[in-house]
Amino acid sequence: MSNASLLAEAQRYAEAGISIIPVGLDKRPLGPWTRSQQEVTAPDKLAAQFSPPEVTGYAAVTGWVSGGLVCFDIDPDKRGEALEPVDPDKVLSDLLEAVRGITDASKLPVFKTGSGGYHVYIRCREPGGNAKLAGVPARNRQGVHYIVETRAQGGYAVLPGSKHPSGTTYIRLQGDLPDTPMLTQEQ
């Protein structure tokens, strides 16, 4: 996706009240983003942030600034460290099945990540912080490969159209962030 296309999508999301930041190929924010955790940048102010050639993607700032946006980040075992099988497709299927009694799962934004994992979004009034939710034993420093983590207050998640370090691109599978359903804390 060209920088002009990334900018157009970033502006569309900002108009919908979602805080957006530009990212580089390493998926890290380009420049300070503390202010973006506190307020949504006006759409007309994003052009300068998306003009540098090192911009290869964009990300949604999660948490209260984006209306309580929470991303469930489902990761494959990219390094072959897991001591048990990791199937991101099964984890996605199980997650969507688990929410069927709570909300219409077809309305949840689901994006395929550049690594072969998934991002699934919800909103809630108290999004909490970034958390590691599920993992399997692994041959690594932590002794665990985290399969599911949240990106919430103080976090961000890379969005469709962005390039991944592997050379692939993040892809939208269903839904759109502005239409992310709001769930209660109990749900």
Side-chain angles (χ1 to χ4, degrees):
M1 190 179 267
S2 69
N3 280 27
S5 297
L6 290 172
L7 174 60
E9 278 294 284
Q11 290 172 325
R12 182 176 75 84
Y13 284 137
E15 286 170 4
I18 298 168
S19 186
I20 298 294
I21 55 173
V23 297
L25 192 55
D26 61 0
K27 304 187 297 181
R28 293 190 179 167
L30 294 172
W33 61 289
T34 303
R35 186 173 179 170
S36 297
Q37 294 176 55
Q38 299 165 358
E39 63 185 56
V40 176
T41 302
D44 62 331
K45 304 281 187 206
L46 287 170
Q49 294 179 19
F50 281 81
S51 61
E54 58 269 14
V55 174
T56 61
Y58 63 122
V61 178
T62 51
W64 64 263
V65 71
S66 293
L69 196 64
V70 176
C71 173
F72 290 88
D73 183 9
I74 301 169
D75 279 326
D77 180 18
K78 301 173 286 260
R79 296 186 182 107
E81 298 173 338
L83 299 175
E84 297 176 13
V86 174
D87 182 355
D89 295 330
K90 173 89 168 88
V91 175
L92 174 64
S93 175
D94 289 350
L95 177 62
L96 294 177
E97 184 60 34
V99 301
R100 286 196 204 297
I102 298 169
T103 189
D104 182 351
S106 69
K107 300 226 185 263
L108 296 179
V110 178
F111 306 148
K112 181 106 172 165
T113 68
S115 66
Y118 299 96
H119 287 170
V120 180
Y121 292 85
I122 63 163
R123 288 183 195 264
C124 61
R125 298 210 188 290
E126 296 178 32
N130 301 320
K132 296 175 184 322
L133 298 183
V136 296
R139 292 178 295 272
N140 61 23
R141 197 168 25 121
Q142 298 96 353
V144 65
H145 167 71
Y146 289 100
I147 302 167
V148 183
E149 300 179 59
T150 59
R151 300 287 177 255
Q153 192 62 36
Y156 64 92
V158 179
L159 296 171
S162 301
K163 290 181 187 169
H164 185 268
S166 68
T168 59
T169 303
Y170 289 70
I171 301 167
R172 179 188 330 273
L173 298 179
Q174 74 175 39
D176 197 12
L177 285 185
D179 304 324
T180 303
M182 177 71 74
L183 303 181
T184 66
Q185 293 308 117
E186 294 77 29
Q187 291 171 319

